[in-house]
Amino acid sequence: MAKRGTELFGKPQMIHTVTVEADGRFSDIEVILLVDMYCVSAGDSLVKVLSQCPNVTVMGLMPSNCSCQETGGVSFLSDGICWINYPVNWLYELDGRRYIDTDDSRECTLPLDVQIPLTSDLVHSLYSEYESRDVILDYVIEYLNLKETK
C-alpha cells in the first residue's frame, strides 16, 4: 500500500492512497524476481509490491534503481521530436517515509534477497555475443534446485 503525495513546505501532503494486495491464488508457486539497475519507475513499484509476497525472492547482481516518482510534468521540445518527463510528486509509505526512493543516504530501499555473485563466467557471458548459455538463469535454476533438496 502506498500513499501518493507531494511535499509542501518540507512536509508530505497526501493526495490519495493506492492499495495493491495479493489474493493468494499463486502463493504455492516459488517466484524468482530478477532485477538490476535498469529496473526503474513502475518496475521499482512492481519489485516493492511483489517483494512483500512470502513466495517471492528478489535476486540480481545489484538492486533495482530505486527511483519511483510520479511522472506528471512533460515538456515537448523541437516540434515533438523529443520531450522531457519530470516528477511532480513523491510517493510515501503509510508512515510518511518516502516510498522506494532513496533519501540522502543513497541506500536502496529495495534490497535483494539474494545477490548473484559476479564471477568470471558471468562477466564473460555479459561481454560475449557468442555466449550460448545464460549464466544468470543457470544461477537461478541452481538456486531453486538447492532449495528443493533442503
Side-chain angles (χ1 to χ4, degrees), residues 113-134:
D113 295 318
V114 175
Q115 184 167 14
I116 297 172
L118 187 60
T119 63
S120 59
D121 278 349
L122 180 56
V123 171
H124 179 74
S125 75
L126 294 174
Y127 291 99
S128 174
E129 63 183 281
Y130 303 109
E131 181 66 49
S132 61
R133 66 188 183 111
D134 185 330

Side-chain angles (χ1 to χ4, degrees), residues 6-17:
T6 189
E7 283 188 27
L8 185 61
F9 305 115
K11 293 187 179 180
Q13 302 296 315
M14 301 307 163
I15 297 172
H16 70 278
T17 302

Side-chain angles (χ1 to χ4, degrees), residues 34 116 122 133-143:
L34 288 173
I116 297 172
L122 180 56
R133 66 188 183 111
D134 185 330
V135 177
I136 291 176
L137 185 58
D138 288 348
Y139 184 88
V140 171
I141 291 168
E142 183 180 334
Y143 174 85

